[in-house]
Amino acid sequence: MNSSNPLIGRDIISISDLTQAEICAVLDQARRFEEQLKGAPIIPLLNGRILATVFYEPSTRTRLSFESAMHRLGGSVISVADARTSSSAAKGESIYDSGKMLESYADVIVQRHPAVGSARALADAADVPVINAGDGIGEHPTQALLDLYTIERERGTLDGLTVVMAGDLKHGRTVHSLAKALAHWKPKLLLCAPQALAMPDDLIAELRGQGLIVIETENMGAALAQADVVYVTRIQQERFETVEEYMRYKGIYVLTEPAVRAAKPGIVVMHPLPRVDEISPDVDRLPNAAYFRQARYGVFVRMALLAMVLGAV
Ligand code: NCD
């Protein structure tokens, strides 16, 4: 165990709970795991430890990369894949009761839930570390960490970049957490969204209060011309009241191959995935397309988080 690990026993609920130094400690540990995995498929630091994954909303990457990360560290996983319908929540069990029970089944819990604040509620109940894998339109802190890892890995730095965030910035929890996380490195943020799907005002005010330049625009072309990184998000269909309302915004921004070619050379194209239609498949063949690498980096970052909260590094 290393005394420079600041996360032992901690919950990871909001990215704002972590200082810049703590974020850097996670990224450094992820880098060490990425290196070590070149020589061995497993780094058995968490032998005998158990991760519970409890997902009340759909997930492919977040759940599987957490589970893969736990296995790569030699630990075991227990899981309720569709907790909404197949756990006791369907019988009316509260998050509190679920937390009280899970703490005796697992050493760490990863939860995704549709309600903002649900991860905090679980952490208040459970005596083991709780990691927020998305609480409705709230936050997705582990995605923000892997997004930072991706930006640093692809650009060589996090400092002073011009970052375009495009799509559903109102409901997209990944951009909420990423904007807060990136703020430590003083980026210029260009937010591209239709007015009805704009980034929440209080978050923009918080970012500006930290001295960031934040510009809201509906003109994706003009924003792209300045961008070092473009982070595209899906219009979050499940957050709309009606299909008609969703259809009004579906397809509003589509990043195409010519648009990427016309941008600054070296622009990094990111997306938390799943993609619907907002990045044309032609972009995939460009070296700028980082989104599948981004998903791979998620394993190293989640290994770092698990090993750190469980005090194994
Ligand atoms: C995101 C999520 O669930 O917030 N997916 C992910 O975790 N990679 C993004 C999304 O669903 O659009």
Side-chain angles (χ1 to χ4, degrees):
M1 195 189 295
N2 179 340
S3 59
S4 68
N5 169 8
L7 295 190
I8 300 177
R10 295 256 301 266
D11 302 307
I12 311 292
I13 307 300
S14 163
I15 196 69
S16 309
D17 298 341
L18 302 185
T19 63
Q20 185 176 21
E22 288 167 351
I23 292 175
C24 290
V26 175
L27 303 186
D28 289 347
Q29 184 58 53
R31 209 161 299 118
R32 286 193 285 277
F33 282 145
E34 181 176 358
E35 273 310 306
Q36 287 168 30
L37 280 177
K38 289 179 184 156
I42 282 189
I43 305 163
L45 293 172
L46 293 181
N47 275 340
R49 312 304 287 277
I50 298 175
L51 160 70
T53 54
V54 186
F55 279 63
Y56 298 85
E57 281 190 341
S59 170
T60 304
R61 270 153 296 274
T62 305
R63 187 165 69 86
L64 290 184
S65 64
F66 261 115
E67 295 185 356
S68 172
M70 192 63 179
H71 286 297
R72 292 249 183 252
L73 288 166
S76 329
V77 179
I78 54 176
S79 184
V80 191
D82 184 2
R84 197 175 49 83
T85 53
S86 66
S87 79
S88 285
K91 304 178 189 167
E93 185 167 60
S94 68
I95 290 188
Y96 182 87
D97 288 5
S98 148
K100 281 289 152 221
M101 177 227 16
L102 284 169
E103 70 181 16
S104 43
Y105 296 166
D107 302 300
V108 53
I109 307 166
V110 174
Q111 176 182 259
R112 171 171 289 183
H113 191 284
V116 175
S118 49
R120 188 80 67 193
L122 183 69
D124 287 345
D127 262 341
V128 299
V130 168
I131 301 178
N132 180 8
D135 59 333
I137 64 168
E139 282 221 37
H140 196 344
T142 70
Q143 179 73 39
L145 291 166
L146 80 88
D147 292 341
L148 291 181
Y149 189 81
T150 304
I151 295 171
E152 193 169 44
R153 201 64 177 55
E154 300 280 325
R155 298 274 333 180
T157 182
L158 288 166
D159 281 318
L161 298 168
T162 297
V163 177
V164 172
M165 296 183 173
D168 187 346
L169 307 185
K170 177 182 178 190
H171 303 113
R173 54 195 169 201
T174 67
V175 282
H176 301 164
S177 293
L178 178 57
K180 292 183 196 180
L182 254 182
H184 293 292
W185 286 269
K186 301 289 176 246
K188 176 174 174 185
L189 290 183
L190 301 175
L191 306 179
C192 260
Q195 222 160 31
L197 302 181
M199 182 83 87
D201 286 339
D202 54 343
L203 178 48
I204 294 182
E206 180 185 326
L207 297 166
R208 289 193 177 134
Q210 291 173 270
L212 264 62
I213 299 174
V214 182
I215 296 168
E216 292 188 272
T217 172
E218 296 189 34
N219 185 341
M220 175 91 156
L224 271 181
Q226 302 182 44
D228 300 309
V229 175
V230 55
Y231 191 99
V232 185
T233 64
R234 163 180 83 83
I235 307 296
Q236 307 271 301
Q237 176 170 13
E238 67 278 27
R239 311 289 179 208
F240 290 85
E241 299 276 326
T242 62
V243 177
E244 291 71 37
E245 209 191 329
Y246 165 65
M247 293 308 288
R248 206 175 306 149
Y249 300 108
K250 183 183 178 321
I252 193 156
Y253 295 119
V254 179
L255 187 64
T256 61
E257 183 185 346
V260 177
R261 287 190 187 281
K264 285 208 277 187
I267 186 174
V268 178
V269 181
M270 295 173 62
H271 192 307
L273 304 176
R275 155 174 65 178
V276 182
D277 55 8
E278 55 283 341
I279 298 180
S280 128
D282 301 348
V283 175
D284 298 3
R285 61 170 163 257
L286 300 178
N288 315 72
Y291 28 93
F292 295 120
R293 293 191 290 279
Q294 184 182 351
R296 187 169 74 88
Y297 300 146
V299 176
F300 313 132
V301 171
R302 289 174 171 132
M303 286 174 74
L305 281 168
L306 292 170
M308 289 175 82
V309 299
L310 289 173
V313 289

